Amino acid sequence: MNLTISGHHLDITPALREYVTLKLERIARHFDRMIDVKVFMSVDKLIQKAEISIHVPGKEIFAESSDEDLYAAIDSLVDKVDRQVIKYKSKQRDHGHEAIKQQTPS
């Protein structure tokens, strides 16, 4: 997994980088086939914004979140993308099984 963390009008401190990496481990527990992960954080006046783009086989998963606190925005972002990754994983796992169920006589 290639991880890229960047910021606009914001310095990416080691503590912020470690926090993002720690939160992304939760997603990696659910799905370990992530190819490329890009996290982008920005500050516009009092709004802290975090975006993530995850490249997985066959799809690009994107989520964004904004809050007054950057750490809260990251937490919300990870929750959103975690739900998307779980949904993608379940679709990949179930793909093709419906045709098999329909062919077997009851």
Side-chain angles (χ1 to χ4, degrees):
M1 171 178 78
N2 296 328
L3 176 62
T4 305
I5 301 174
S6 58
H8 184 257
H9 296 280
L10 174 72
D11 290 332
I12 305 299
T13 62
L16 195 56
R17 183 177 299 276
E18 183 179 339
Y19 188 76
V20 170
T21 306
L22 180 68
K23 289 294 181 175
L24 288 176
E25 287 177 6
R26 181 175 123 195
I27 297 169
R29 279 194 312 238
H30 290 140
F31 190 71
D32 61 345
R33 294 179 46 207
M34 294 183 289
I35 298 169
D36 193 27
V37 178
K38 295 178 183 172
V39 180
F40 180 75
M41 294 175 270
S42 63
V43 178
D44 293 324
K45 296 189 180 182
L46 298 177
I47 302 297
Q48 315 285 327
K49 187 174 180 182
E51 301 175 358
I52 189 167
S53 177
I54 301 175
H55 181 70
V56 294
K59 187 170 177 149
E60 190 80 22
I61 298 173
F62 178 79
E64 64 182 352
S65 178
S66 58
D67 200 298
E68 292 178 356
D69 180 31
L70 186 58
Y71 289 95
I74 293 169
D75 289 340
S76 175
L77 176 75
V78 170
D79 290 340
K80 288 179 183 181
V81 80
D82 192 34
R83 285 191 300 267
Q84 290 183 20
V85 165
I86 290 171
K87 184 176 178 180
Y88 170 77
K89 184 179 174 182
S90 69
K91 283 185 177 182
Q92 291 297 314
R93 185 178 55 231
D94 295 339
H95 182 70
H97 294 288
E98 292 299 321
I100 294 171
K101 289 179 185 176
Q102 291 174 358
Q103 291 176 355
T104 57
S106 301

